[in-house]
Amino acid sequence: MKVKRSERLIDMTRYLLERPHKLVSLTYFANRFDSAKSSISEDLTIVKKTFKERGTGTLETVPGAAGGVKFIPEIAKTEADEFVNEMCIRLSEPDRLLPGGYVYLSDLLGEPSILRQVGKIIATQYLDQKIDAVMTVATKGVPIAQAVSSYLNVPFVIVRRDSKITEGSTVSINYVSGSSERVEKMELSKRSLKRGSRVLIVDDFMKGGGTVNGMKSLIEEFEAELVGITVFAESTFSGNRMIDDYSSLLCVDEVDIRDKTIHVSPGNYYKTK
């Protein structure tokens, strides 16, 4: 049964948005809508133009018999800037200040709309990189990893600090916490990551960089390759940070525990993108 063009466009758009980075053949759409490939091609031209004008992403065309189209989600710079500036304001609220100079993030990282933007911004940063998996450490980094992996359409893996019988055999390492300088342990299931995988590390907050450095060591243990490191927020650190090459969306650059004031500015993501 033939489908009206307006219905085709709606369904085609939904299908592509739900399957980023997946190659979809024109034959599939032609069979799905009982339409000629020429009609499908015209529809995709409209979708591609709209995606570009609205800053939704890019619709890549892959030529050849095994070709098709692939949706690459990305966020426009103006939209990313607006979001980061809004987060700076929200993170600067004085009631977010916790003992030890930490900033309360859990409510923000529990909002789906915020996670979608964070995921899209980080995924956009690595548009030109091949990524096989997104890695984070339990527990607060998990929603960020899930958001990023959904836009990259790759699995995410969770590093844990304690053993879980449901994880099966694990690889564990000792690492030094960058802020407390204590020796701690983290581990990852042997089934989580394939040898030679290209891995992106994401996390919610970074001070001394010890946890992220531990994840780097785990990646080496799996004979995998680190593609990049991005954190939602970082804080200024007076000691020697264990990580140099990373990006952050936000930077908590001034905390006054006595006056209960916080100042947050855009992170170095602005300089690296």
Side-chain angles (χ1 to χ4, degrees), residues 256-269:
D256 191 319
I257 298 176
R258 183 176 179 179
D259 294 337
K260 294 184 178 180
T261 58
I262 309 171
H263 183 268
V264 181
S265 59
N268 65 8
Y269 169 80

Side-chain angles (χ1 to χ4, degrees), residues 7 9 41 47 62-63 132 196 202 209 250 266-267:
E7 295 176 357
L9 286 168
S41 181
V47 174
V62 179
D132 299 310
V202 300
L250 306 165

Side-chain angles (χ1 to χ4, degrees), residues 24-45:
V24 185
S25 69
L26 266 63
T27 301
Y28 174 82
F29 281 136
N31 293 335
R32 182 181 179 92
F33 304 118
D34 191 20
S35 302
K37 285 187 179 180
S38 57
S39 298
I40 296 299
S41 181
E42 291 173 1
D43 292 345
L44 289 170
T45 300

